[in-house]
């Protein structure tokens, strides 16, 4: 069973999808903890499922690196990132760049989901940027996190056509409808060894 630490900042619909998938005894991964950088609404999904959760705020630390080390320690307390079965850290809507020290601590067992077809539209406003660029399609990317911003090796992608005059929130919601099953399935593939992250170490 692959142990997951899921990191969020917002509503946590991806987290909810992972928790629901893991409710199936045949799903090969379980969420052992959920971390956030703020009082994210999505923490309620962890609470409802009885999953340990915590908030580690950057404003409580002198530097991003120190925040990252505190976040890493909180995750490691739940057995992710330690021992022979280090599990997987899943950034599922965490709206912060994970500092280099944090990435080195967990690499390569560290993935992110991003609402665009990377390398197009990295960063915090991927859906808005795709619309502003006049793109006719965008999508979602699940990738291994490296020390860059949305630059790590791509594991899976799914394309979403952009509709004429579509608002940002509507497009983002349609992206998320494809994102949730893609992320759930990518985690399954990592858990079964179908996707081998050790090639990225
Ligand atoms: C997701 O679409 C995720 O890809 C995006 O935030 C959303 C979180 O939704 N992440 C980023 O934009 C990171 N740059 P959720 O809270 O409903 O899971």
């Amino acid at each position: 069973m692959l142990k997951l630490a899921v990191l969020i900042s917002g509503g946590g619909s991806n987290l909810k999808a992972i928790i629901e998938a893991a409710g199936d005894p045949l799903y090969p991964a379980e969420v052992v903890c959920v971390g956030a950088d703020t009082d994210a609404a999505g923490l309620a999904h962890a609470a409802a499922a009885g999953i340990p959760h915590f908030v580690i705020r950057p404003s409580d630390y002198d530097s991003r690196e120190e925040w990252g080390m505190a976040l890493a320690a909180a995750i490691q307390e739940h057995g992710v990132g330690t021992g022979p079965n280090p599990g997987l850290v899943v950034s599922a809507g965490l709206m912060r760049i994970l500092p280099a020290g944090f990435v080195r601590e967990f690499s390569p067992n560290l993935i992110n989901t991003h609402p665009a077809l990377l390398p197009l539209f990295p960063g915090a406003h991927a859906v808005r940027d795709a619309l502003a660029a006049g793109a006719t399609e965008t999508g979602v990317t699940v990738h291994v996190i490296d020390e860059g911003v949305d630059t790590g090796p791509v594991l899976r992608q799914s394309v979403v056509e952009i509709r004429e005059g579509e608002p940002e929130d509507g497009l983002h919601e349609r992206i998320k409808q494809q994102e949730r099953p893609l992320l759930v399935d990518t985690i399954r593939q990592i858990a079964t060894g179908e996707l081998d992250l050790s090639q990225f170490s």
Side-chain angles (χ1 to χ4, degrees):
M1 188 66 77
L2 184 71
K3 294 171 292 187
L4 307 175
V6 182
L7 303 179
I8 65 169
S9 295
S13 72
N14 281 283
L15 165 67
K16 184 167 180 272
I18 298 166
I19 292 172
E20 283 173 3
D24 180 342
L26 294 178
Y27 191 74
E30 61 174 331
V31 182
V32 298
C33 66
V34 175
D37 60 330
T38 184
D39 293 316
L43 290 170
H45 300 306
I51 297 167
H53 49 283
F54 47 82
V55 179
I56 310 281
R57 292 171 213 283
S59 56
D60 288 340
Y61 297 88
D62 290 337
S63 68
R64 285 181 59 247
E65 280 294 342
E66 283 179 47
W67 168 71
M69 286 299 109
L71 185 61
I75 292 169
Q76 285 162 341
E77 268 180 40
H78 296 279
V80 173
T82 58
N85 296 310
L88 183 70
V89 175
V90 181
S91 164
L94 181 77
M95 299 305 286
R96 300 252 173 204
I97 310 301
L98 289 163
F102 182 98
V103 174
R104 280 196 292 273
E105 197 72 32
F106 294 97
S107 183
N109 302 305
L110 181 61
I111 65 170
N112 178 48
T113 183
H114 182 78
L117 297 173
L118 292 171
L120 295 175
F121 312 120
H125 305 292
V127 181
R128 189 182 310 168
D129 293 347
L131 286 170
T136 55
E137 63 175 30
T138 185
V140 54
T141 302
V142 181
H143 67 97
V144 178
I145 297 178
D146 66 8
E147 291 182 29
V149 178
D150 299 327
T151 51
V154 171
L155 299 173
R156 299 274 302 271
Q157 290 187 310
S158 177
V159 176
V160 177
E161 304 294 330
I162 298 179
R163 295 174 182 158
E164 189 82 37
E166 186 165 26
E168 181 182 341
D169 54 352
L171 174 58
H172 198 170
E173 192 45 50
R174 289 200 305 114
I175 291 170
K176 287 209 235 179
Q177 281 167 15
Q178 295 196 25
E179 180 174 37
R180 294 186 281 260
L182 188 79
L183 180 60
V184 163
D185 195 57
T186 307
I187 293 168
R188 181 193 62 73
Q189 289 185 309
I190 293 167
T192 61
E194 206 176 314
L195 267 175
D196 179 14
L197 298 188
S198 67
Q199 64 185 300
F200 303 114
S201 49

